[in-house]
PDB file of all heavy atoms in Angstrom:
ATOM      1  N   ASN D  12    -208.240  73.774  78.634  1.00  0.00           N
ATOM      2  CA  ASN D  12    -206.914  73.181  78.498  1.00  0.00           C
ATOM      3  C   ASN D  12    -206.999  71.853  77.809  1.00  0.00           C
ATOM      4  O   ASN D  12    -208.081  71.194  77.840  1.00  0.00           O
ATOM      5  CB  ASN D  12    -206.234  73.032  79.891  1.00  0.00           C
ATOM      6  CG  ASN D  12    -204.722  72.902  79.760  1.00  0.00           C
ATOM      7  OD1 ASN D  12    -204.155  72.962  78.669  1.00  0.00           O
ATOM      8  ND2 ASN D  12    -204.064  72.719  80.908  1.00  0.00           N
ATOM      9  N   ILE D  13    -205.952  71.427  77.224  1.00  0.00           N
ATOM     10  CA  ILE D  13    -205.862  70.076  76.574  1.00  0.00           C
ATOM     11  C   ILE D  13    -204.434  69.581  76.827  1.00  0.00           C
ATOM     12  O   ILE D  13    -203.487  70.323  76.677  1.00  0.00           O
ATOM     13  CB  ILE D  13    -206.229  70.082  75.137  1.00  0.00           C
ATOM     14  CG1 ILE D  13    -206.111  68.662  74.537  1.00  0.00           C
ATOM     15  CG2 ILE D  13    -205.397  71.056  74.364  1.00  0.00           C
ATOM     16  CD1 ILE D  13    -206.708  68.530  73.159  1.00  0.00           C
ATOM     17  N   PHE D  14    -204.288  68.290  77.194  1.00  0.00           N
ATOM     18  CA  PHE D  14    -202.951  67.757  77.399  1.00  0.00           C
ATOM     19  C   PHE D  14    -202.936  66.238  77.166  1.00  0.00           C
ATOM     20  O   PHE D  14    -204.004  65.588  77.313  1.00  0.00           O
ATOM     21  CB  PHE D  14    -202.403  68.079  78.794  1.00  0.00           C
ATOM     22  CG  PHE D  14    -203.407  67.800  79.913  1.00  0.00           C
ATOM     23  CD1 PHE D  14    -203.375  66.576  80.586  1.00  0.00           C
ATOM     24  CD2 PHE D  14    -204.316  68.774  80.286  1.00  0.00           C
ATOM     25  CE1 PHE D  14    -204.290  66.349  81.626  1.00  0.00           C
ATOM     26  CE2 PHE D  14    -205.195  68.544  81.364  1.00  0.00           C
ATOM     27  CZ  PHE D  14    -205.204  67.329  81.993  1.00  0.00           C
ATOM     28  N   GLU D  15    -201.799  65.753  76.779  1.00  0.00           N
ATOM     29  CA  GLU D  15    -201.660  64.325  76.497  1.00  0.00           C
ATOM     30  C   GLU D  15    -201.499  63.542  77.783  1.00  0.00           C
ATOM     31  O   GLU D  15    -200.879  63.990  78.725  1.00  0.00           O
ATOM     32  CB  GLU D  15    -200.397  64.125  75.659  1.00  0.00           C
ATOM     33  CG  GLU D  15    -200.456  64.798  74.262  1.00  0.00           C
ATOM     34  CD  GLU D  15    -199.125  64.750  73.571  1.00  0.00           C
ATOM     35  OE1 GLU D  15    -198.266  63.929  73.968  1.00  0.00           O
ATOM     36  OE2 GLU D  15    -198.909  65.542  72.642  1.00  0.00           O
ATOM     37  N   VAL D  16    -202.097  62.364  77.816  1.00  0.00           N
ATOM     38  CA  VAL D  16    -201.988  61.460  78.976  1.00  0.00           C
ATOM     39  C   VAL D  16    -201.643  60.063  78.462  1.00  0.00           C
ATOM     40  O   VAL D  16    -201.580  59.817  77.268  1.00  0.00           O
ATOM     41  CB  VAL D  16    -203.319  61.425  79.749  1.00  0.00           C
ATOM     42  CG1 VAL D  16    -203.632  62.722  80.420  1.00  0.00           C
ATOM     43  CG2 VAL D  16    -204.450  60.984  78.803  1.00  0.00           C
ATOM     44  N   LYS D  17    -201.321  59.211  79.384  1.00  0.00           N
ATOM     45  CA  LYS D  17    -201.025  57.843  79.019  1.00  0.00           C
ATOM     46  C   LYS D  17    -202.208  57.157  78.348  1.00  0.00           C
ATOM     47  O   LYS D  17    -203.377  57.472  78.593  1.00  0.00           O
ATOM     48  CB  LYS D  17    -200.595  57.039  80.272  1.00  0.00           C
ATOM     49  CG  LYS D  17    -199.263  57.570  80.913  1.00  0.00           C
ATOM     50  CD  LYS D  17    -198.929  56.725  82.129  1.00  0.00           C
ATOM     51  CE  LYS D  17    -197.612  57.243  82.703  1.00  0.00           C
ATOM     52  NZ  LYS D  17    -197.164  56.418  83.904  1.00  0.00           N
ATOM     53  N   GLY D  18    -201.921  56.162  77.529  1.00  0.00           N
ATOM     54  CA  GLY D  18    -202.922  55.527  76.693  1.00  0.00           C
ATOM     55  C   GLY D  18    -204.067  54.889  77.468  1.00  0.00           C
ATOM     56  O   GLY D  18    -205.191  54.752  76.929  1.00  0.00           O
ATOM     57  N   ASP D  19    -203.819  54.472  78.720  1.00  0.00           N
ATOM     58  CA  ASP D  19    -204.863  53.834  79.511  1.00  0.00           C
ATOM     59  C   ASP D  19    -205.481  54.760  80.550  1.00  0.00           C
ATOM     60  O   ASP D  19    -206.252  54.369  81.400  1.00  0.00           O
ATOM     61  CB  ASP D  19    -204.331  52.641  80.185  1.00  0.00           C
ATOM     62  CG  ASP D  19    -203.186  52.863  81.120  1.00  0.00           C
ATOM     63  OD1 ASP D  19    -202.677  54.013  81.119  1.00  0.00           O
ATOM     64  OD2 ASP D  19    -202.788  51.968  81.890  1.00  0.00           O
ATOM     65  N   ALA D  20    -205.117  56.052  80.533  1.00  0.00           N
ATOM     66  CA  ALA D  20    -205.652  57.016  81.455  1.00  0.00           C
ATOM     67  C   ALA D  20    -207.181  57.182  81.188  1.00  0.00           C
ATOM     68  O   ALA D  20    -207.651  57.195  80.043  1.00  0.00           O
ATOM     69  CB  ALA D  20    -204.999  58.388  81.341  1.00  0.00           C
ATOM     70  N   HIS D  21    -207.931  57.297  82.276  1.00  0.00           N
ATOM     71  CA  HIS D  21    -209.393  57.324  82.185  1.00  0.00           C
ATOM     72  C   HIS D  21    -209.957  58.478  82.986  1.00  0.00           C
ATOM     73  O   HIS D  21    -209.692  58.574  84.207  1.00  0.00           O
ATOM     74  CB  HIS D  21    -209.971  56.013  82.732  1.00  0.00           C
ATOM     75  CG  HIS D  21    -211.387  55.729  82.253  1.00  0.00           C
ATOM     76  ND1 HIS D  21    -212.438  56.377  82.782  1.00  0.00           N
ATOM     77  CD2 HIS D  21    -211.862  54.879  81.356  1.00  0.00           C
ATOM     78  CE1 HIS D  21    -213.589  55.951  82.196  1.00  0.00           C
ATOM     79  NE2 HIS D  21    -213.233  55.008  81.285  1.00  0.00           N
ATOM     80  N   ALA D  22    -210.703  59.356  82.371  1.00  0.00           N
ATOM     81  CA  ALA D  22    -211.200  60.578  83.008  1.00  0.00           C
ATOM     82  C   ALA D  22    -212.101  60.251  84.178  1.00  0.00           C
ATOM     83  O   ALA D  22    -212.123  60.998  85.162  1.00  0.00           O
ATOM     84  CB  ALA D  22    -211.947  61.452  82.002  1.00  0.00           C
ATOM     85  N   ARG D  23    -212.859  59.205  84.092  1.00  0.00           N
ATOM     86  CA  ARG D  23    -213.783  58.860  85.173  1.00  0.00           C
ATOM     87  C   ARG D  23    -213.105  58.018  86.220  1.00  0.00           C
ATOM     88  O   ARG D  23    -213.140  58.342  87.442  1.00  0.00           O
ATOM     89  CB  ARG D  23    -215.007  58.168  84.578  1.00  0.00           C
ATOM     90  CG  ARG D  23    -216.027  57.729  85.674  1.00  0.00           C
ATOM     91  CD  ARG D  23    -217.195  56.947  85.083  1.00  0.00           C
ATOM     92  NE  ARG D  23    -218.098  56.442  86.089  1.00  0.00           N
ATOM     93  CZ  ARG D  23    -219.034  55.581  85.875  1.00  0.00           C
ATOM     94  NH1 ARG D  23    -219.265  55.129  84.603  1.00  0.00           N
ATOM     95  NH2 ARG D  23    -219.826  55.131  86.834  1.00  0.00           N
ATOM     96  N   PHE D  24    -212.520  56.860  85.824  1.00  0.00           N
ATOM     97  CA  PHE D  24    -212.103  55.910  86.840  1.00  0.00           C
ATOM     98  C   PHE D  24    -210.777  56.291  87.505  1.00  0.00           C
ATOM     99  O   PHE D  24    -210.505  55.785  88.578  1.00  0.00           O
ATOM    100  CB  PHE D  24    -211.977  54.508  86.177  1.00  0.00           C
ATOM    101  CG  PHE D  24    -213.269  53.974  85.673  1.00  0.00           C
ATOM    102  CD1 PHE D  24    -213.369  53.496  84.356  1.00  0.00           C
ATOM    103  CD2 PHE D  24    -214.391  53.968  86.454  1.00  0.00           C
ATOM    104  CE1 PHE D  24    -214.594  52.981  83.904  1.00  0.00           C
ATOM    105  CE2 PHE D  24    -215.590  53.499  86.059  1.00  0.00           C
ATOM    106  CZ  PHE D  24    -215.722  52.987  84.724  1.00  0.00           C
ATOM    107  N   ASP D  25    -209.992  57.149  86.898  1.00  0.00           N
ATOM    108  CA  ASP D  25    -208.740  57.533  87.525  1.00  0.00           C
ATOM    109  C   ASP D  25    -208.863  58.765  88.436  1.00  0.00           C
ATOM    110  O   ASP D  25    -207.918  59.129  89.112  1.00  0.00           O
ATOM    111  CB  ASP D  25    -207.672  57.794  86.447  1.00  0.00           C
ATOM    112  CG  ASP D  25    -207.141  56.534  85.801  1.00  0.00           C
ATOM    113  OD1 ASP D  25    -207.101  55.538  86.509  1.00  0.00           O
ATOM    114  OD2 ASP D  25    -206.796  56.589  84.618  1.00  0.00           O
ATOM    115  N   ALA D  26    -210.015  59.375  88.453  1.00  0.00           N
ATOM    116  CA  ALA D  26    -210.209  60.548  89.335  1.00  0.00           C
ATOM    117  C   ALA D  26    -210.204  60.052  90.787  1.00  0.00           C
ATOM    118  O   ALA D  26    -210.834  59.094  91.152  1.00  0.00           O
ATOM    119  CB  ALA D  26    -211.513  61.266  89.008  1.00  0.00           C
ATOM    120  N   ILE D  27    -209.414  60.755  91.630  1.00  0.00           N
ATOM    121  CA  ILE D  27    -209.314  60.310  93.038  1.00  0.00           C
ATOM    122  C   ILE D  27    -210.101  61.240  94.021  1.00  0.00           C
ATOM    123  O   ILE D  27    -210.292  60.875  95.165  1.00  0.00           O
ATOM    124  CB  ILE D  27    -207.788  60.296  93.471  1.00  0.00           C
ATOM    125  CG1 ILE D  27    -207.136  61.606  93.234  1.00  0.00           C
ATOM    126  CG2 ILE D  27    -207.104  59.170  92.742  1.00  0.00           C
ATOM    127  CD1 ILE D  27    -205.698  61.647  93.757  1.00  0.00           C
ATOM    128  N   GLU D  28    -210.521  62.405  93.516  1.00  0.00           N
ATOM    129  CA  GLU D  28    -211.337  63.260  94.375  1.00  0.00           C
ATOM    130  C   GLU D  28    -212.115  64.239  93.456  1.00  0.00           C
ATOM    131  O   GLU D  28    -211.640  64.717  92.439  1.00  0.00           O
ATOM    132  CB  GLU D  28    -210.398  64.054  95.298  1.00  0.00           C
ATOM    133  CG  GLU D  28    -211.167  64.933  96.302  1.00  0.00           C
ATOM    134  CD  GLU D  28    -210.211  65.659  97.289  1.00  0.00           C
ATOM    135  OE1 GLU D  28    -209.454  64.917  97.958  1.00  0.00           O
ATOM    136  OE2 GLU D  28    -210.269  66.866  97.344  1.00  0.00           O
ATOM    137  N   ARG D  29    -213.303  64.570  93.915  1.00  0.00           N
ATOM    138  CA  ARG D  29    -214.161  65.571  93.247  1.00  0.00           C
ATOM    139  C   ARG D  29    -214.659  66.540  94.346  1.00  0.00           C
ATOM    140  O   ARG D  29    -214.935  66.137  95.445  1.00  0.00           O
ATOM    141  CB  ARG D  29    -215.312  64.866  92.547  1.00  0.00           C
ATOM    142  CG  ARG D  29    -214.940  63.898  91.446  1.00  0.00           C
ATOM    143  CD  ARG D  29    -216.036  62.962  91.126  1.00  0.00           C
ATOM    144  NE  ARG D  29    -215.735  62.118  89.921  1.00  0.00           N
ATOM    145  CZ  ARG D  29    -215.090  61.024  89.981  1.00  0.00           C
ATOM    146  NH1 ARG D  29    -214.614  60.544  91.127  1.00  0.00           N
ATOM    147  NH2 ARG D  29    -214.829  60.313  88.865  1.00  0.00           N
ATOM    148  N   GLU D  30    -214.752  67.793  93.902  1.00  0.00           N
ATOM    149  CA  GLU D  30    -215.202  68.778  94.846  1.00  0.00           C
ATOM    150  C   GLU D  30    -216.357  69.637  94.201  1.00  0.00           C
ATOM    151  O   GLU D  30    -216.328  69.953  93.035  1.00  0.00           O
ATOM    152  CB  GLU D  30    -214.056  69.752  95.213  1.00  0.00           C
ATOM    153  CG  GLU D  30    -214.413  70.823  96.240  1.00  0.00           C
ATOM    154  CD  GLU D  30    -213.286  71.670  96.622  1.00  0.00           C
ATOM    155  OE1 GLU D  30    -212.381  71.154  97.375  1.00  0.00           O
ATOM    156  OE2 GLU D  30    -213.162  72.796  96.171  1.00  0.00           O
ATOM    157  N   TYR D  31    -217.371  69.877  95.035  1.00  0.00           N
ATOM    158  CA  TYR D  31    -218.537  70.684  94.611  1.00  0.00           C
ATOM    159  C   TYR D  31    -218.651  71.882  95.531  1.00  0.00           C
ATOM    160  O   TYR D  31    -218.303  71.809  96.723  1.00  0.00           O
ATOM    161  CB  TYR D  31    -219.805  69.879  94.694  1.00  0.00           C
ATOM    162  CG  TYR D  31    -220.044  68.888  93.581  1.00  0.00           C
ATOM    163  CD1 TYR D  31    -219.547  67.605  93.667  1.00  0.00           C
ATOM    164  CD2 TYR D  31    -220.749  69.250  92.394  1.00  0.00           C
ATOM    165  CE1 TYR D  31    -219.763  66.652  92.640  1.00  0.00           C
ATOM    166  CE2 TYR D  31    -220.955  68.361  91.396  1.00  0.00           C
ATOM    167  CZ  TYR D  31    -220.478  67.075  91.527  1.00  0.00           C
ATOM    168  OH  TYR D  31    -220.704  66.166  90.495  1.00  0.00           O
ATOM    169  N   GLU D  32    -219.239  72.920  95.021  1.00  0.00           N
ATOM    170  CA  GLU D  32    -219.715  74.088  95.847  1.00  0.00           C
ATOM    171  C   GLU D  32    -221.146  74.289  95.565  1.00  0.00           C
ATOM    172  O   GLU D  32    -221.632  74.161  94.447  1.00  0.00           O
ATOM    173  CB  GLU D  32    -218.919  75.337  95.501  1.00  0.00           C
ATOM    174  CG  GLU D  32    -217.532  75.383  95.997  1.00  0.00           C
ATOM    175  CD  GLU D  32    -216.801  76.685  95.654  1.00  0.00           C
ATOM    176  OE1 GLU D  32    -217.435  77.505  94.953  1.00  0.00           O
ATOM    177  OE2 GLU D  32    -215.649  76.835  96.109  1.00  0.00           O
ATOM    178  N   TYR D  33    -221.888  74.667  96.649  1.00  0.00           N
ATOM    179  CA  TYR D  33    -223.274  75.067  96.514  1.00  0.00           C
ATOM    180  C   TYR D  33    -223.387  76.506  96.999  1.00  0.00           C
ATOM    181  O   TYR D  33    -222.935  76.827  98.135  1.00  0.00           O
ATOM    182  CB  TYR D  33    -224.238  74.188  97.302  1.00  0.00           C
ATOM    183  CG  TYR D  33    -225.658  74.387  96.815  1.00  0.00           C
ATOM    184  CD1 TYR D  33    -226.197  73.568  95.809  1.00  0.00           C
ATOM    185  CD2 TYR D  33    -226.446  75.391  97.383  1.00  0.00           C
ATOM    186  CE1 TYR D  33    -227.509  73.806  95.349  1.00  0.00           C
ATOM    187  CE2 TYR D  33    -227.720  75.590  96.893  1.00  0.00           C
ATOM    188  CZ  TYR D  33    -228.252  74.821  95.864  1.00  0.00           C
ATOM    189  OH  TYR D  33    -229.482  75.068  95.377  1.00  0.00           O
ATOM    190  N   LEU D  34    -223.981  77.371  96.175  1.00  0.00           N
ATOM    191  CA  LEU D  34    -224.035  78.798  96.457  1.00  0.00           C
ATOM    192  C   LEU D  34    -225.456  79.199  96.817  1.00  0.00           C
ATOM    193  O   LEU D  34    -226.400  78.924  96.077  1.00  0.00           O
ATOM    194  CB  LEU D  34    -223.559  79.570  95.211  1.00  0.00           C
ATOM    195  CG  LEU D  34    -223.477  81.104  95.362  1.00  0.00           C
ATOM    196  CD1 LEU D  34    -222.524  81.488  96.489  1.00  0.00           C
ATOM    197  CD2 LEU D  34    -223.006  81.695  94.025  1.00  0.00           C
ATOM    198  N   ILE D  35    -225.615  79.910  97.949  1.00  0.00           N
ATOM    199  CA  ILE D  35    -226.890  80.419  98.386  1.00  0.00           C
ATOM    200  C   ILE D  35    -226.788  81.983  98.510  1.00  0.00           C
ATOM    201  O   ILE D  35    -225.804  82.449  99.103  1.00  0.00           O
ATOM    202  CB  ILE D  35    -227.317  79.817  99.709  1.00  0.00           C
ATOM    203  CG1 ILE D  35    -227.675  78.333  99.528  1.00  0.00           C
ATOM    204  CG2 ILE D  35    -228.510  80.545 100.338  1.00  0.00           C
ATOM    205  CD1 ILE D  35    -228.004  77.576 100.828  1.00  0.00           C
ATOM    206  N   SER D  36    -227.732  82.652  98.003  1.00  0.00           N
ATOM    207  CA  SER D  36    -227.853  84.127  98.137  1.00  0.00           C
ATOM    208  C   SER D  36    -228.898  84.464  99.194  1.00  0.00           C
ATOM    209  O   SER D  36    -229.988  83.952  99.183  1.00  0.00           O
ATOM    210  CB  SER D  36    -228.238  84.733  96.814  1.00  0.00           C
ATOM    211  OG  SER D  36    -228.433  86.152  96.973  1.00  0.00           O
ATOM    212  N   LEU D  37    -228.481  85.219 100.185  1.00  0.00           N
ATOM    213  CA  LEU D  37    -229.424  85.595 101.256  1.00  0.00           C
ATOM    214  C   LEU D  37    -230.137  86.837 100.838  1.00  0.00           C
ATOM    215  O   LEU D  37    -229.657  87.972 100.889  1.00  0.00           O
ATOM    216  CB  LEU D  37    -228.610  85.850 102.519  1.00  0.00           C
ATOM    217  CG  LEU D  37    -227.842  84.673 103.113  1.00  0.00           C
ATOM    218  CD1 LEU D  37    -226.962  85.102 104.270  1.00  0.00           C
ATOM    219  CD2 LEU D  37    -228.772  83.565 103.525  1.00  0.00           C
ATOM    220  N   GLY D  38    -231.323  86.683 100.348  1.00  0.00           N
ATOM    221  CA  GLY D  38    -232.159  87.729  99.828  1.00  0.00           C
ATOM    222  C   GLY D  38    -232.185  87.783  98.343  1.00  0.00           C
ATOM    223  O   GLY D  38    -231.445  87.053  97.643  1.00  0.00           O
ATOM    224  N   LYS D  39    -233.011  88.626  97.783  1.00  0.00           N
ATOM    225  CA  LYS D  39    -233.190  88.682  96.328  1.00  0.00           C
ATOM    226  C   LYS D  39    -232.015  89.430  95.681  1.00  0.00           C
ATOM    227  O   LYS D  39    -231.640  90.537  96.065  1.00  0.00           O
ATOM    228  CB  LYS D  39    -234.505  89.396  96.027  1.00  0.00           C
ATOM    229  CG  LYS D  39    -234.868  89.389  94.503  1.00  0.00           C
ATOM    230  CD  LYS D  39    -236.218  90.038  94.290  1.00  0.00           C
ATOM    231  CE  LYS D  39    -236.593  90.010  92.798  1.00  0.00           C
ATOM    232  NZ  LYS D  39    -237.938  90.594  92.606  1.00  0.00           N
ATOM    233  N   ASP D  40    -231.432  88.768  94.672  1.00  0.00           N
ATOM    234  CA  ASP D  40    -230.324  89.343  93.942  1.00  0.00           C
ATOM    235  C   ASP D  40    -230.530  89.064  92.440  1.00  0.00           C
ATOM    236  O   ASP D  40    -230.332  87.950  91.991  1.00  0.00           O
ATOM    237  CB  ASP D  40    -228.995  88.708  94.427  1.00  0.00           C
ATOM    238  CG  ASP D  40    -227.769  89.222  93.711  1.00  0.00           C
ATOM    239  OD1 ASP D  40    -227.931  90.131  92.840  1.00  0.00           O
ATOM    240  OD2 ASP D  40    -226.666  88.720  93.931  1.00  0.00           O
ATOM    241  N   PRO D  41    -230.852  90.128  91.718  1.00  0.00           N
ATOM    242  CA  PRO D  41    -231.126  89.899  90.269  1.00  0.00           C
ATOM    243  C   PRO D  41    -229.929  89.440  89.443  1.00  0.00           C
ATOM    244  O   PRO D  41    -230.107  88.906  88.371  1.00  0.00           O
ATOM    245  CB  PRO D  41    -231.638  91.260  89.786  1.00  0.00           C
ATOM    246  CG  PRO D  41    -231.048  92.230  90.775  1.00  0.00           C
ATOM    247  CD  PRO D  41    -231.044  91.505  92.088  1.00  0.00           C
ATOM    248  N   PHE D  42    -228.692  89.599  90.008  1.00  0.00           N
ATOM    249  CA  PHE D  42    -227.511  89.231  89.286  1.00  0.00           C
ATOM    250  C   PHE D  42    -227.062  87.813  89.536  1.00  0.00           C
ATOM    251  O   PHE D  42    -226.097  87.326  88.957  1.00  0.00           O
ATOM    252  CB  PHE D  42    -226.397  90.228  89.595  1.00  0.00           C
ATOM    253  CG  PHE D  42    -226.716  91.626  89.280  1.00  0.00           C
ATOM    254  CD1 PHE D  42    -227.048  92.545  90.242  1.00  0.00           C
ATOM    255  CD2 PHE D  42    -226.782  92.046  87.928  1.00  0.00           C
ATOM    256  CE1 PHE D  42    -227.362  93.853  89.978  1.00  0.00           C
ATOM    257  CE2 PHE D  42    -227.110  93.378  87.637  1.00  0.00           C
ATOM    258  CZ  PHE D  42    -227.442  94.267  88.652  1.00  0.00           C
ATOM    259  N   SER D  43    -227.729  87.133  90.463  1.00  0.00           N
ATOM    260  CA  SER D  43    -227.317  85.746  90.752  1.00  0.00           C
ATOM    261  C   SER D  43    -228.489  84.800  90.681  1.00  0.00           C
ATOM    262  O   SER D  43    -228.382  83.618  91.120  1.00  0.00           O
ATOM    263  CB  SER D  43    -226.660  85.674  92.130  1.00  0.00           C
ATOM    264  OG  SER D  43    -227.634  85.912  93.173  1.00  0.00           O
ATOM    265  N   GLN D  44    -229.622  85.237  90.151  1.00  0.00           N
ATOM    266  CA  GLN D  44    -230.816  84.374  90.192  1.00  0.00           C
ATOM    267  C   GLN D  44    -230.645  83.073  89.414  1.00  0.00           C
ATOM    268  O   GLN D  44    -231.316  82.099  89.719  1.00  0.00           O
ATOM    269  CB  GLN D  44    -231.996  85.153  89.652  1.00  0.00           C
ATOM    270  CG  GLN D  44    -231.889  85.633  88.209  1.00  0.00           C
ATOM    271  CD  GLN D  44    -233.138  86.396  87.743  1.00  0.00           C
ATOM    272  OE1 GLN D  44    -234.172  86.323  88.390  1.00  0.00           O
ATOM    273  NE2 GLN D  44    -233.045  87.125  86.625  1.00  0.00           N
ATOM    274  N   ASP D  45    -229.779  83.040  88.397  1.00  0.00           N
ATOM    275  CA  ASP D  45    -229.529  81.834  87.653  1.00  0.00           C
ATOM    276  C   ASP D  45    -228.336  81.003  88.210  1.00  0.00           C
ATOM    277  O   ASP D  45    -228.113  79.913  87.734  1.00  0.00           O
ATOM    278  CB  ASP D  45    -229.209  82.160  86.168  1.00  0.00           C
ATOM    279  CG  ASP D  45    -230.472  82.716  85.455  1.00  0.00           C
ATOM    280  OD1 ASP D  45    -231.598  82.359  85.863  1.00  0.00           O
ATOM    281  OD2 ASP D  45    -230.280  83.487  84.505  1.00  0.00           O
ATOM    282  N   PHE D  46    -227.685  81.538  89.202  1.00  0.00           N
ATOM    283  CA  PHE D  46    -226.431  80.901  89.635  1.00  0.00           C
ATOM    284  C   PHE D  46    -226.315  80.711  91.146  1.00  0.00           C
ATOM    285  O   PHE D  46    -225.312  80.327  91.653  1.00  0.00           O
ATOM    286  CB  PHE D  46    -225.222  81.761  89.172  1.00  0.00           C
ATOM    287  CG  PHE D  46    -225.230  81.946  87.714  1.00  0.00           C
ATOM    288  CD1 PHE D  46    -225.575  83.201  87.158  1.00  0.00           C
ATOM    289  CD2 PHE D  46    -224.873  80.939  86.833  1.00  0.00           C
ATOM    290  CE1 PHE D  46    -225.583  83.404  85.781  1.00  0.00           C
ATOM    291  CE2 PHE D  46    -224.858  81.133  85.442  1.00  0.00           C
ATOM    292  CZ  PHE D  46    -225.234  82.343  84.933  1.00  0.00           C
ATOM    293  N   ALA D  47    -227.407  80.976  91.871  1.00  0.00           N
ATOM    294  CA  ALA D  47    -227.453  80.782  93.308  1.00  0.00           C
ATOM    295  C   ALA D  47    -228.878  80.558  93.757  1.00  0.00           C
ATOM    296  O   ALA D  47    -229.794  81.117  93.193  1.00  0.00           O
ATOM    297  CB  ALA D  47    -226.834  81.994  94.057  1.00  0.00           C
TER     298      ALA D  47
END
């Protein structure tokens, strides 16, 4: 996506929350070896 923001808007300093996920595969899975 792309959208217009105010001239002083800042991608880093104006962010108020960040969320991460960590994925674990229980056992060998050839389809997730690069992503879990």
Side-chain angles (χ1 to χ4, degrees):
N12 199 3
I13 180 170
F14 47 93
E15 299 171 17
V16 292
K17 294 182 178 180
D19 60 350
H21 199 285
R23 179 184 174 190
F24 296 130
D25 286 330
I27 56 177
E28 185 177 302
R29 297 162 173 86
E30 183 177 285
Y31 283 88
E32 286 182 356
Y33 195 90
L34 183 59
I35 291 176
S36 175
L37 298 173
K39 187 175 182 179
D40 178 4
F42 301 105
S43 68
Q44 60 180 345
D45 292 331
F46 304 104

